[in-house]
Amino acid sequence: MCTRILWNTNALGVFVARTMDWPTTTEPKLIIFPRGRQRQGNHLGTTALEMANPARWQSRYGSAVVSMYGLGTVDGFNEQGLAVHLLYLTATDFGTRHPQKQGVHAGLWGQYLLDNAATVKEALDLMAQIQPVMITIQGFASTVHVAIADASGDSAILEYLNGELVIHHGRQYQIMTNDPPYDEQLAYRAQFDFTNATRQTPLPGNVDPSHRFVRADYFLQVLPEPRNQREAIASVLAIARNVSVPFGAPNKVPGSLYNTEYRTAMDLTHRYYVFELTTAPNILWFPLEKFELHPEAPVMMLDPSHPELAGDVAAQFAPVAAAPY
């Protein structure tokens, strides 16, 4: 469970936030990858998956990402301002493996796009070459769909349903949550008219993905124009907090409700990243421009769970001898 909010209708820039909702910790790490990294689509931590025709590539762009279990990227943007967000979708079906397409395990799907594309259009063109491959992490199948956005404000939602890639492409696709598939989410959202909304207008108030979708979209439409970057980031984070799932929320059906572990916000115009653990009152941030991204630069990493971290943490990143992926 997660929520993604893209604000591409203000005059200041393109801002995007997301929540990460999961039943246990995802062991998130903040990672800076320089360009020129050699990768392959079957690489899984210290092992390799059995996979026909795995993709092999060298990254064209450096990126700032959040990892999950050290096995892949679930959130991040690259130096060109392309952002990816992986969210859970039970209906995901990557279909029968087609070895004529290069395979990329689902945990590296987002990183593949960050490494190779500068815009949403370029990322969509790349999808003709690859096929995501399902993996299991900590007992959970990687049934994910992906939201992408770029510094121009373009957006796309990518889902695999019944083995086929379904794409919603356009600036209007600002919100994404989880189940049901996106067409059904849009149909549910269409039932609500907030043209003349007041504080008495009823809003779906639970933590079901469809409720979060409508609520996030409503508040996004009424955000005031920001006066500066600080206000813009605070605005999208406010919506992310509004649709977060508090610890202890009722969960009568095991596996049906995940608490929010962290939130991120990005300024894609100025390449600025914000991270907030829900178990700590501190907000962390860093501008990508403070990092070396040339091919000889080291991979830099930070564990955001350290309680003393707050504010601009660029100087707290440390080089790692061996990158997790």
Side-chain angles (χ1 to χ4, degrees):
M1 305 298 181
C2 305
T3 306
R4 174 263 210 176
I5 307 110
L6 171 66
W7 194 16
N8 56 4
T9 56
N10 69 87
L12 193 63
V14 178
F15 303 89
V16 60
R18 68 89 51 84
T19 67
M20 167 55 80
D21 306 342
W22 202 244
T24 61
T25 177
T26 62
E27 302 171 15
K29 300 294 187 296
L30 301 174
I31 306 176
I32 308 296
F33 286 119
R35 67 186 79 95
R37 296 278 302 165
Q38 298 289 340
R39 287 199 172 91
Q40 57 189 55
N42 64 337
H43 181 65
L44 188 66
T46 59
T47 64
L49 297 170
E50 291 292 331
M51 183 190 298
N53 190 22
R56 291 177 172 84
W57 70 94
Q58 177 175 294
S59 61
R60 298 176 60 195
Y61 306 112
S63 57
V65 307
V66 182
S67 67
M68 184 173 184
Y69 300 122
L71 301 177
T73 292
V74 290
D75 191 77
F77 66 79
N78 68 19
E79 60 183 304
Q80 297 296 312
L82 179 74
V84 301
H85 307 277
L86 275 68
L87 282 69
Y88 199 71
L89 176 66
T90 305
T92 296
D93 175 10
F94 295 125
T96 303
R97 180 75 182 98
H98 300 295
Q100 71 273 19
K101 289 191 173 184
Q102 300 173 74
V104 177
H105 82 66
L108 288 179
W109 182 7
Q111 190 64 53
Y112 175 85
L113 298 178
L114 292 180
D115 285 350
N116 294 292
T119 64
V120 168
K121 184 181 184 305
E122 287 184 10
L124 295 180
D125 289 343
L126 287 170
M127 291 306 302
Q129 304 174 21
I130 66 165
Q131 180 183 16
V133 177
M134 191 75 70
I135 59 173
T136 299
I137 302 175
Q138 300 285 321
F140 292 90
S142 57
T143 55
V144 292
H145 54 170
V146 173
I148 54 178
D150 63 31
S152 76
D154 197 8
S155 174
I157 310 299
L158 285 64
E159 298 179 334
Y160 278 86
L161 304 173
N162 301 314
E164 299 294 330
L165 176 60
V166 179
I167 298 172
H168 293 80
H169 180 199
R171 295 175 61 91
Q172 69 272 31
Y173 300 117
Q174 299 169 290
I175 307 298
M176 186 169 88
T177 56
N178 313 106
D179 301 302
Y182 206 68
D183 278 329
E184 296 178 47
Q185 290 278 28
L186 294 175
Y188 180 65
R189 170 63 182 89
Q191 298 176 31
F192 298 85
D193 182 3
F194 297 130
T195 305
N196 299 303
T198 70
R199 66 180 185 178
Q200 282 82 34
T201 301
L203 279 175
N206 216 316
V207 295
D208 179 81
S210 294
H211 287 208
R212 288 185 277 111
F213 189 106
V214 173
R215 200 159 68 254
D217 192 43
Y218 166 74
F219 284 111
L220 180 62
Q221 305 314 315
V222 298
L223 281 181
E225 186 68 27
R227 292 174 295 183
N228 50 51
Q229 180 199 50
R230 180 171 178 163
E231 284 191 1
I233 290 174
S235 294
V236 291
L237 270 179
I239 298 177
R241 291 168 181 149
N242 183 283
V243 295
S244 292
V245 182
F247 290 94
N251 186 8
K252 301 292 186 181
V253 181
S256 66
L257 180 63
Y258 304 154
N259 303 124
T260 299
E261 181 184 18
Y262 63 79
R263 291 175 283 263
T264 69
M266 305 173 185
D267 176 348
L268 301 185
T269 303
H270 303 99
R271 321 297 193 258
Y272 198 90
Y273 208 107
V274 178
F275 183 92
E276 177 184 47
L277 275 175
T278 55
T279 54
N282 307 337
I283 299 179
L284 321 180
W285 63 80
F286 57 89
L288 189 60
E289 65 181 15
K290 289 192 175 183
F291 296 90
E292 296 288 342
L293 299 177
H294 57 80
E296 292 74 33
V299 174
M300 306 290 284
M301 188 181 298
L302 178 67
D303 183 347
S305 67
H306 291 305
E308 72 279 5
L309 291 175
D312 188 340
V313 294
Q316 305 301 315
F317 280 74
V320 293
Y325 53 92

